[in-house]
Amino acid sequence: TQLLEQSPQFLSIQEGENLTVYCNSSSVFSSLQWYRQEPGEGPVLLVTVVTGGEVKKLKRLTFQFGDARKDSSLHITAAQPGDTGLYLCAGARTSGSRLTFGEGTQLTVNP
Amino acid sequence: DTEVTQTPKHLVMGMTNKKSLKCEQHMGHRAMYWYKQKAKKPPELMFVYSYEKLSINESVPSRFSPECPNSSLLNLHLHALQPEDSALYLCASSPIGQKLAKNIQYFGAGTRLSVL
């Protein structure tokens, strides 16, 4: 059973466009992490959100945690080719527990 | 410093070989993980060590044998692998017991394994 539904799975856009990636679940998470991964490399942590309703910004990236801590979104403004990669959301329920990963969003930003 | 170092970066092995993957972190994290990842898929958890003791084995075949010699090192011993075991193997670490950082996992760059 996939506990974290991530969408879209694939996204190909032009440089300068905006986009949003969603992670949804029927389960409550104590925290949710977003990673970006480039081919042949490990996932790089972008942000962790822990409080319901929390919004965090990282330059052109805006992350939001749902009020009920069941969903999260990643919005990228004015996407650039350097944003290309696999974006993964991952939720955790308790301290030291395993992460539940979404299926990932493969983003391609064309120049 | 949030670095997790994995060696080697690439590994090619035959089905009768024995090899080991290594992972090292100096962040004082007491939880360490092995994941297997196929192309464009999320990582799949294999093993979890907490305080140098194996706490989770996700029904991984015995041809994969983890070892945690101390709080900074994690090994994965490989023997008699199959071609379908070819994948990116990722190591991660996380703190335990720190309220705000408790669930954050930091990943290494991975070892790209090819089994011939």
Side-chain angles (χ1 to χ4, degrees):
Chain A
T1 302
Q2 179 56 260
L3 297 179
L4 255 182
E5 299 280 345
Q6 188 172 344
S7 63
Q9 265 193 286
F10 300 95
L11 193 53
S12 181
I13 62 173
Q14 293 301 119
E15 183 175 1
E17 292 183 9
N18 302 333
L19 66 116
T20 303
V21 178
Y22 300 94
C23 262
N24 296 301
S25 175
S26 57
S27 304
V28 175
F29 292 101
S30 61
S31 70
L32 196 137
Q33 301 162 38
W34 285 93
Y35 294 88
R36 185 175 81 205
Q37 185 176 19
E38 299 190 21
E41 298 292 329
V44 174
L45 181 68
L46 296 174
V47 79
T48 298
V49 286
V50 297
T51 306
E54 183 176 5
V55 177
K56 283 192 174 178
K57 294 196 174 191
L58 187 66
K59 296 183 181 177
R60 293 175 294 100
L61 278 60
T62 302
F63 304 86
Q64 187 160 5
F65 204 14
D67 291 341
R69 291 185 290 138
K70 293 182 180 180
D71 54 86
S72 182
S73 64
L74 157 61
H75 182 78
I76 301 179
T77 304
Q80 299 177 1
D83 296 326
T84 294
L86 179 67
Y87 288 81
L88 294 160
C89 62
R93 291 217 174 75
T94 57
S95 175
S97 72
R98 68 192 70 197
L99 290 179
T100 298
F101 281 90
E103 279 294 299
T105 296
Q106 182 62 51
L107 172 65
T108 302
V109 182
N110 302 298
Chain B
D1 180 11
T2 57
E3 189 168 341
V4 177
T5 304
Q6 288 188 244
T7 56
K9 193 159 176 62
H10 302 278
L11 180 62
V12 179
M13 59 187 292
M15 289 190 282
T16 58
N17 292 158
K18 284 186 182 180
K19 296 286 184 184
S20 296
L21 310 185
K22 297 186 183 301
C23 175
E24 189 168 3
Q25 57 88 16
H26 296 288
M27 295 180 277
H29 292 172
R30 302 304 294 277
M32 296 186 77
Y33 311 77
W34 279 116
Y35 288 87
K36 172 183 178 180
Q37 187 180 28
K38 293 284 197 178
K40 298 185 179 174
K41 290 292 186 182
E44 298 172 23
L45 184 65
M46 300 173 71
F47 303 103
V48 181
Y49 273 82
S50 298
Y51 297 106
E52 297 85 67
K53 293 197 182 332
L54 183 65
S55 58
I56 296 175
N57 177 341
E58 291 286 279
S59 301
V60 179
S62 60
R63 56 186 185 268
F64 295 91
S65 175
E67 178 196 18
C68 191
N70 61 55
S71 60
S72 299
L73 295 175
L74 185 66
N75 299 322
L76 185 62
H77 303 297
L78 313 173
H79 174 55
L81 295 194
Q82 303 296 312
E84 59 265 28
D85 296 322
S86 298
L88 182 68
Y89 287 83
L90 294 164
C91 172
S93 71
S94 69
I96 298 178
Q98 296 176 30
K99 192 175 180 182
L100 292 180
K102 58 187 177 183
N103 293 316
I104 300 175
Q105 290 189 22
Y106 297 90
F107 286 82
T111 294
R112 171 69 61 190
L113 174 67
S114 297
V115 182
L116 304 179

